[in-house]
Amino acid sequence: MRQQIQYGCQTYPWKMNISAYAGKVPHIIQKTAEAGFQGLEAEICMLGDYFHKPEEVKALLEENHIDLAALVLHQPWEQAQETEEERQLSDEAIAFLSHFPFAKLMVSHHAGQTPRGDGEALLTRRKNLLSCMDSVACRAAERGIVTCYHPNSAKNSLFRTAEDYKVLFELMDRTRVGWAPDVGHIVNGGMDALTLLKEGRSRICHVHFKDRAADGAWAVMGKGDIDYPAIVRYLKESGYGGWIMVEDESPEAERDSDGVVLRDGAYMKQFIEGGN
């Protein structure tokens, strides 16, 4: 019998108020469970001291009857090989995840204010990124951990358009890195989400949802224009059995992180209760 899709919450709504919520792991876990989600995906910066206390995190999760779905690892990864500092943090992330047998390592890259470049310079940056992530993925695999890459649609992202994704898939096929599509970022990059999900289906090992209005603004789940019921239906029909994580980046999340997570959970309830 194939595994059913599970639905979880990412820590990003609280990250939008990071000064108030960084390290508040018991609160974040409690609110995730209260919203009806089955799991949590945590960014290292939101764990605070708990990043070095995995057994305490595990106990809190078990107490609230939810699972750790993934740990997010953000790194620059600009060189052909990991820097010593990057490798140290990556290995700490792998060590943390070794306490959670079914959680994934989700690698992410934010270019920030650095222009992405073009031509050979852009290709070199992309190759370096995938090379470093593959090194991390190989070490993670030795501990039984699956690694997946989450591209985003920020202006300086190395992979944000349809043409970019063609290059990404070619580079990814030479690595042990899977794909964690973010539906909101795909739409924000000018693509049709279902079309791209079908094209890259064999690479998908983790999924992110965030809603988006027609004017390009991020929205609370169910308040945007993305047809999420159709996307969930496709993932089910195609045999996907992993996690779908809600990563709300709406302005409302900055004003009321807890409230937005509860509203996201209420919207996702239709899929959680609908089963597979």
Side-chain angles (χ1 to χ4, degrees):
M1 182 177 179
R2 70 177 178 84
Q3 182 183 352
Q4 292 189 337
I5 295 175
Q6 292 180 288
Y7 300 88
C9 178
Q10 223 267 3
T11 55
Y12 202 90
W14 294 286
K15 186 178 179 181
M16 296 180 80
N17 285 300
I18 190 168
S19 62
Y21 290 108
K24 305 295 185 183
V25 173
H27 175 87
I28 290 171
I29 289 175
Q30 182 182 9
K31 289 299 178 181
T32 299
E34 187 179 333
F37 287 110
Q38 298 163 299
L40 177 71
E41 176 180 296
E43 298 193 56
I44 291 172
C45 64
M46 295 307 296
L47 290 176
D49 291 341
Y50 281 94
F51 181 47
H52 302 289
K53 301 174 182 179
E55 290 297 339
E56 292 188 28
V57 175
K58 179 182 285 189
L60 287 166
L61 291 166
E62 291 176 350
E63 181 182 327
N64 287 274
H65 308 289
I66 62 174
D67 296 319
L68 183 71
L71 179 70
V72 183
L73 175 66
H74 298 297
Q75 295 269 43
W77 289 313
E78 293 283 356
Q79 308 303 315
Q81 297 180 338
E82 297 169 88
T83 66
E84 183 176 343
E85 182 179 2
E86 289 169 348
R87 186 181 181 97
Q88 180 178 343
L89 180 59
S90 296
D91 287 346
E92 289 176 357
I94 292 169
F96 179 91
L97 280 175
S98 67
H99 294 264
F100 304 90
F102 302 106
K104 293 181 173 63
L105 179 61
M106 204 193 73
V107 290
S108 181
H109 173 262
H110 295 296
Q113 299 304 311
T114 304
R116 69 185 218 145
D118 53 24
E120 285 300 316
L122 175 58
L123 181 59
T124 296
R125 292 190 68 200
R126 288 167 164 172
K127 287 181 176 179
N128 288 349
L129 178 64
L130 268 295
S131 175
C132 290
M133 290 195 301
D134 190 39
S135 294
V136 176
C138 289
R139 297 199 305 279
E142 292 174 358
R143 306 288 287 273
I145 299 165
V146 173
T147 301
C148 46
Y149 171 46
H150 173 292
N152 67 74
S153 59
K155 180 179 68 173
N156 295 320
S157 172
L158 302 185
F159 300 101
R160 63 186 304 268
T161 68
E163 288 301 314
D164 293 340
Y165 273 85
K166 289 179 181 178
V167 178
L168 173 62
F169 289 161
E170 290 176 2
L171 294 174
M172 189 175 285
D173 286 346
R174 306 169 194 168
T175 72
R176 296 193 67 161
V177 181
W179 180 35
D182 184 304
V183 172
H185 281 304
I186 290 170
V187 174
N188 206 45
M191 293 164 281
D192 178 77
L194 265 179
T195 298
L196 191 65
L197 291 175
K198 290 175 181 178
E199 181 181 344
R201 175 65 187 85
S202 64
R203 304 172 181 88
I204 296 175
C205 57
H206 199 66
V207 177
H208 270 207
F209 281 5
K210 61 169 60 70
D211 218 342
R212 179 183 181 277
D215 63 1
W218 298 124
V220 175
M221 288 299 301
K223 301 300 181 181
D225 285 355
I226 299 175
D227 188 352
Y228 277 108
I231 290 170
V232 171
R233 187 162 55 248
Y234 165 70
L235 289 171
K236 289 179 179 180
E237 291 172 350
S238 70
Y240 178 71
W243 284 95
I244 291 176
M245 311 303 300
V246 176
E247 185 186 26
D248 198 307
E249 297 187 31
S250 65
E252 289 90 336
E254 187 171 5
R255 292 191 290 269
D256 181 14
S257 303
D258 289 347
V260 160
V261 169
L262 293 174
R263 289 166 64 188
D264 290 338
Y267 175 79
M268 296 301 292
K269 188 176 182 181
Q270 63 184 300
F271 306 122
I272 297 170
E273 295 187 345
N276 289 260

